[in-house]
Amino acid sequence: MRETSAPLHFQSALSIASQIASGQVTSREVTQHFLDRIARAHGLNAFTVVFAEQALAQADAADAALRPGGPGPSSALHGVPVAIKDSIEVAGSTASAGSLSRLNITSDITATAVQRMSAAGMVILGKTHMTEFAFGLAGQNPTRGTPWNPWDATQHRAPGGSSSGCGTAVAAGLAPIAVGGDTGGSVRAPATLNHLVGFKPSSGVISGAGVVPLAPTLDVLGPIARSVADAHALTAILAGPDADDALSQQIPSAISKGLRDALPIVTPQTLPVLYVLDPRAFPATLSSGAQRVWDDALARLTSDGWTLQFWTPPAGLDIGDLSEANSVILGYEGFQLHGHLAEDATQPLWDVVRQRILAGGKIPRAEYEQALARRARVVAAFTEAIGPEGRLLLPATGHGALPLDPADSAHVSIGRFCRAGNFLGTPAIALPAGFDDSRMPVGVQLMAPPLADRQLLAVAAALAPALQAPGPVNPDLGHWGL
């Protein structure tokens, strides 16, 4: 394999795809490289199942397509391996959704997202650990095992959830890119706590067919990646209407078509103002380290010529209040789907998740319906308040990854900052911004009005270089023999 400035496993998905397309390396060689790393990294506990044989067969097919007389690459990520969250179904395997209660259920369908990645010439490496039923943002799962945040080799800290294994896998170089799910921040949380990019598209842009749900109104799939460009490339593959997903059919076809185009170039001159959430409107207090990262990020953006304007949400759009409204929908729908398991004492659920599900059963239907009605109203109000071209920068969490705690309550600030994006159905992207006082990653997030996904990605790509603080790009993995 050709030497580059970074080892293969720490290169971007697009860089790997380019090397495969040019013949510098084969998809089989790349896939075997990642399979070997996964096999050596048991201590990180990232994967629940590895599709080694199938992955190599997919890699061989990708290589065959590139030989003379073949059809050529199927997408910008042709031949690139990808990891998927263990709530995403693949026929003949188990989609455990992080729960022991589902280990005897074999999928008889394959999720639309997996079908589209396979058709795009990508290689499915396997499934990754997650919080049970996706009900939590720290990433803990004591029944099936909590992945290790690779940024601290000595203390088991939160990997971020619920797509915890996805974050660990990409950060540790076990996969170049991954697909997680986000109902209240579950793509952005592991991205933030692992120094990665996590993109939650607008509701309906990516089909959720064939994914074990938590709250169908809010559930969204999205990429966890090393760069905004990688996240865009994978979103372009996944986006589009699906006959098996009613919400996706309501999204204008121009949205998915636009995502397949190159991102427009954004500069401080073409983006007159970047809104920044006024600190007085923060739904949670930042730790000293997170506050330093936030202040430094704003200073770097200003130094690079971006015009920042502090924004205070008008009445009815308080970020913390929208987060709580999201929790009403999440809790109510989560109980409708999984309450029968939580009420059955013989089911092997983690008690923390069991209690969260049962709490959803106490939400009156009238309160749930009010939250749904409010959601329809505030989406329009948010777009009007920020403007169709508005972009809003805010913290992704109040701190970096903390040590695991039995009550799984130490990371509540992630939800307070992230869940509003789910309630609004907006695109939101987490971007690395620095490290806290414990040298753990801290990120920020960028939001835009619903369906402005391509425009948000373009702004994120422009801001990312300035947001990236000096410091390590990847964790030291010597402790795990990698």
Side-chain angles (χ1 to χ4, degrees), residues 64-243:
L66 298 179
R67 296 190 187 110
S74 302
S75 72
L77 295 179
H78 184 92
V80 174
V82 59
I84 61 174
K85 187 176 183 176
D86 199 9
S87 57
I88 301 174
E89 300 205 68
V90 175
S93 68
T94 298
S96 78
S99 181
L100 295 173
S101 67
R102 290 185 53 86
L103 290 185
N104 62 346
I105 301 174
T106 301
S107 299
D108 57 5
I109 61 170
T110 295
T112 298
V114 175
Q115 295 180 42
R116 289 181 175 174
M117 288 188 289
S118 298
M122 298 187 73
V123 175
I124 314 301
L125 285 172
K127 297 186 178 185
T128 56
H129 277 287
M130 58 180 285
T131 309
E132 191 167 17
F133 291 117
F135 218 148
L137 289 169
Q140 296 191 169
N141 188 331
T143 62
R144 295 223 63 201
T146 300
W148 196 287
N149 188 314
W151 285 91
D152 188 339
T154 62
Q155 189 170 25
H156 202 168
R157 293 176 180 263
S162 61
S163 309
S164 51
C166 288
T168 293
V170 178
L174 309 183
I177 198 165
V179 178
D182 195 311
T183 306
S186 293
V187 160
R188 290 161 287 159
T192 294
L193 298 189
N194 283 283
H195 203 58
L196 300 168
V197 172
F199 178 50
K200 182 198 84 68
S202 297
S203 296
V205 166
I206 295 175
S207 170
V211 180
V212 179
L214 171 59
T217 297
L218 306 168
D219 295 341
V220 179
L221 293 180
I224 294 177
R226 295 195 170 278
S227 69
V228 176
D230 282 0
H232 171 227
L234 185 51
T235 302
I237 290 169
L238 297 174
D242 175 22

Side-chain angles (χ1 to χ4, degrees), residues 3-27:
E3 291 187 2
T4 62
S5 58
L8 181 74
H9 44 271
F10 284 149
Q11 292 178 33
S12 72
L14 284 169
S15 173
I16 293 172
S18 176
Q19 294 173 61
I20 293 172
S22 64
Q24 298 172 57
V25 66
T26 66
S27 178

Side-chain angles (χ1 to χ4, degrees), residues 373-471:
R374 183 185 176 194
R375 187 174 192 242
R377 295 193 305 270
V378 299
V379 167
F382 176 76
T383 302
E384 181 179 356
I386 202 171
E389 305 300 320
R391 309 292 176 256
L392 176 63
L393 188 73
L394 67 161
T397 178
H399 46 72
L402 303 173
L404 303 185
D405 61 301
D408 199 35
S409 60
H411 294 79
V412 293
S413 74
I414 300 175
R416 290 174 180 162
F417 281 106
C418 286
R419 283 193 298 257
N422 298 87
F423 187 71
L424 293 167
T426 65
I429 189 166
L431 301 167
F435 297 85
D436 68 9
D437 297 340
S438 298
R439 295 185 298 228
M440 297 302 293
V442 176
V444 299
Q445 64 174 322
L446 194 65
M447 291 173 56
L451 303 184
D453 296 60
R454 180 169 178 262
Q455 297 87 338
L456 179 71
L457 287 165
V459 174
L463 298 181
L467 288 169
Q468 182 69 61

Side-chain angles (χ1 to χ4, degrees), residues 330-388:
L330 191 160
Y332 184 90
E333 294 186 356
F335 179 80
Q336 301 308 307
L337 289 166
H338 307 299
H340 66 288
L341 295 173
E343 291 175 331
D344 182 351
T346 67
Q347 291 293 334
L349 273 63
W350 180 26
D351 190 59
V352 169
V353 168
R354 186 189 300 274
Q355 295 308 316
R356 287 173 182 164
I357 295 172
L358 292 175
K362 300 176 182 177
I363 298 173
R365 181 168 182 83
E367 183 179 352
Y368 166 68
E369 292 176 345
Q370 289 170 4
L372 289 178
R374 183 185 176 194
R375 187 174 192 242
R377 295 193 305 270
V378 299
V379 167
F382 176 76
T383 302
E384 181 179 356
I386 202 171

